[in-house]
Structure formats: C-alpha cells, structure tokens
C-alpha cells in the first residue's frame, strides 16, 4: 500500500465552505485511532483549522509524540514575517500540538522570496525541519 497522509481539516470542527455541522470529538478521535491502526502516522494540519489543541491532546494521551509526523501550514500573511514573530507562532503551535512539525508549508508564496531567503534558512536551521509552499494556483509562483 502506498503511504497516505490523513488530512485533519474537518476533525473536531466545522472547516470549509460546505460543512454544515461539526464532526464530534468522539468521531474525530475514532478517525485518528483508525489512522494509527492502519499504520498511517503522517497527518496534515494547519493553524487555520483550529483543531491542533485537540489533536495535540490526542497525541499526548496516546503517547504518539515519537510516532506521528506532522505536516502543517502557516499563512504568512497572518503574521508579521520576521524571525521573532514567526518563531513565536511556530513555538506556540508546537506546544499546543505536543509535537514539533516535520514539515512546514507556507500558504501563498512569499513575495520577494529572495529577500526572505535568510528567514527560510534561519527557520530551517533553528527547527531542523523541511520548509516549503502550499500552492493552489499557477499564478502564485513568482517568475
């Protein structure tokens, strides 16, 4: 079987335009449990999902800190994009999730990416993680 990544956007909350109701904590936890039983230890999360605290509790309760791989996303437009502010947000998120993300993707590429290269290198070195971008449209790629 190929490796699967569990998307967690709709767990524990009502996320998205078409969702009319919230998935209960019990049902959300059962999905996470099933993921573990199937050997899927890679989960896609994001600050904007507003469920990372509950996912963090699940990880801690089930002693999964060493097993789970988290891919997460940050919307750089929400934070003043500098080392101090972004580091603070990453640390807060990591503490609430009870695990350091393995990969951080930024929604929307940073404008003037060359000017932000130092920031990317700083974050990669400080957190020993992979960094990238979550691209939704072709025009988001700076030429």
């Amino acid at each position: 079987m190929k490796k699967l990544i569990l998307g967690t956007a709709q767990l524990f909350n009502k996320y998205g335009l078409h969702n009319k109701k919230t998935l209960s904590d019990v049902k959300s936890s059962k999905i996470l449990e099933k993921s573990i039983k199937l050997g899927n230890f890679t989960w896609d999360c994001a600050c904007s999902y507003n469920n990372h605290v509950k996912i963090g509790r699940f990880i801690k309760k089930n002693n999964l800190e060493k097993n789970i791989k988290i891919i997460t996303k940050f919307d750089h437009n929400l934070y003043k994009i500098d080392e101090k502010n972004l580091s603070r947000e990453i640390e807060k998120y990591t503490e609430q999730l009870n695990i350091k993300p393995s990969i951080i993707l930024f929604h929307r590429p940073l404008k003037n990416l060359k000017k932000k290269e130092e920031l990317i290198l700083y974050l990669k070195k400080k957190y020993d993680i992979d960094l990238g971008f979550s691209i939704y449209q072709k025009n988001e790629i700076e030429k």
Side-chain angles (χ1 to χ4, degrees):
M1 179 168 89
K2 297 218 179 220
K3 187 175 188 176
L4 297 176
I5 297 171
L6 176 67
T8 64
Q10 296 168 349
L11 299 181
F12 301 105
N13 67 11
K14 183 174 75 174
Y15 181 86
L17 298 174
H18 302 291
N19 292 332
K20 302 292 184 218
K21 62 181 186 174
T22 300
L23 197 60
S24 74
D25 288 6
V26 172
K27 286 185 180 180
S28 294
S29 292
K30 287 186 185 233
I31 290 170
L32 294 176
E33 289 168 4
K34 185 70 169 181
S35 174
I36 297 301
K37 285 181 184 172
L38 292 173
N40 179 357
F41 295 98
T42 304
W43 298 345
D44 171 53
C45 301
C47 295
S48 61
Y49 300 167
N50 287 323
N51 61 3
H52 57 283
V53 172
K54 289 183 179 182
I55 290 173
R57 286 186 198 136
F58 180 89
I59 289 169
K60 189 170 187 171
K61 177 183 171 188
N62 292 281
N63 298 313
L64 297 170
E65 295 91 337
K66 292 185 172 125
N67 302 83
I68 294 294
K69 180 178 180 180
I70 297 292
I71 300 170
T72 193
K73 293 174 283 303
F74 281 87
D75 185 343
H76 66 84
N77 289 331
L78 296 178
Y79 314 108
K80 185 177 176 187
I81 194 77
D82 64 29
E83 292 174 3
K84 184 178 177 183
N85 288 316
L86 195 52
S87 289
R88 188 177 323 132
E89 289 303 315
I90 291 169
E91 289 165 14
K92 178 179 159 187
Y93 180 79
T94 298
E95 183 179 312
Q96 292 172 339
L97 193 59
N98 290 310
I99 188 171
K100 181 180 82 169
S102 302
I103 300 171
I104 293 178
L105 302 175
F106 294 98
H107 280 298
R108 296 182 217 115
L110 300 168
K111 291 184 179 176
N112 300 317
L113 182 59
K114 290 180 182 175
K115 291 182 181 179
K116 302 299 181 186
E117 187 174 356
E118 288 180 22
L119 174 64
I120 301 291
L121 293 172
Y122 166 81
L123 293 172
K124 185 168 181 58
K125 185 176 179 179
K126 180 173 181 175
Y127 296 105
D128 189 30
I129 54 176
D130 291 324
L131 299 165
F133 299 98
S134 182
I135 307 288
Y136 292 92
Q137 296 178 2
K138 196 175 188 178
N139 66 354
E140 292 179 300
I141 301 172
E142 187 179 287
K143 293 182 180 182

